[in-house]
Amino acid sequence: EAGVAQSPRYKIIEKRQSVAFWCNPISGHATLYWYQQILGQGPKLLIQFQNNGVVDDSQLPKDRFSAERLKGVDSTLKIQPAKLEDSAVYLCASSGQIAKNIQYFGAGTRLSVL
Amino acid sequence: AQSVTQPDIHITVSEGASLELRCNYSYGATPYLFWYVQSPGQGLQLLLKYFSGDTLVQGIKGFEAEFKRSQSSFNLRKPSVHWSDAAEYFCAVGTTQTGANNLFFGTGTRLTVIP
């Protein structure tokens, strides 16, 4: 069984530029999560999707961050415009219906904003 | 509000020695508890979980953890550490609020293993 796929693995941009990350969850997993992990901290949930609907986006900075999961499978997270403090690893995770409390994580995208 | 505290930022142990990583949580109801491990440049891998039942849970790679409700703790242990165990370890509490299954992570403990 393939795991959670994320791309790109690394991205370097200048502040005020835009960037997008892509995630493909484990096949059949209805729930998809995006986390932000700042260096030296634990991951923090940004947004949670159930199929193509948003369940929780209370921690998403909506003035600059957006996310979508149009067909209920893969998802994109966008930052526009980026700030220096957005430098972090962006992790995607998914969970299935049977073991819905177990989240499986991708390798993440490391973003550096200069 | 839920929170997770991992009081040890960095721990160094010798290969073959025993290990205990501390985790304390704050949550009003019975929590779901997890330990994840993160190797450099990698995502998080689930080591073990506690949902209910036996308070001593076994995980992968020889790890175990014990849930102690009276102490609000879920400490991770391993009797003999291997050099490949060097990584960052995260404790997390899972909650179900308004249908969302949220994970709240601690700040992590970095484990260094010396020969």
Side-chain angles (χ1 to χ4, degrees), chain A residues 4-6 21-26 28-35 45-57 67-77 91-97 100 102-106, chain B residues 100-102:
Chain A
V4 177
Q6 290 189 247
F21 314 125
W22 174 83
C23 172
N24 191 31
I26 292 173
H29 279 193
T31 309
L32 185 147
Y33 311 79
W34 282 103
Y35 288 84
L45 180 69
L46 291 175
I47 188 168
Q48 178 185 348
F49 291 94
Q50 178 76 17
N51 296 309
N52 61 350
V54 175
V55 176
D56 183 359
D57 63 356
E68 60 183 14
R69 194 184 183 200
L70 293 176
K71 297 183 179 179
V73 181
D74 56 353
S75 174
T76 55
L77 176 69
L91 295 164
C92 180
S94 68
S95 61
Q97 282 296 108
K100 59 183 178 180
I102 299 176
Q103 297 182 24
Y104 298 89
F105 286 79
Chain B
N101 300 306
N102 295 329

Side-chain angles (χ1 to χ4, degrees), chain B residues 16-65:
Chain B
S18 64
L19 171 69
E20 182 169 29
L21 302 182
R22 295 183 290 164
C23 172
N24 292 95
Y25 69 89
S26 173
Y27 183 55
T30 299
Y32 301 136
L33 294 164
F34 305 82
W35 276 99
Y36 282 86
V37 61
Q38 185 177 35
S39 297
Q42 302 297 314
L44 282 77
Q45 180 183 21
L46 180 65
L47 283 177
L48 48 77
K49 61 190 182 297
Y50 171 79
F51 289 171
S52 64
D54 193 348
T55 57
L56 184 63
V57 293
Q58 302 297 321
I60 62 171
K61 305 184 180 186
F63 285 93
E64 67 177 25

Side-chain angles (χ1 to χ4, degrees), chain B residues 91-111:
Chain B
C91 180
V93 60
T95 69
T96 301
Q97 296 176 341
T98 63
N101 300 306
N102 295 329
L103 279 182
F104 293 87
F105 286 87
T107 52
T109 297
R110 183 161 61 94
L111 174 66

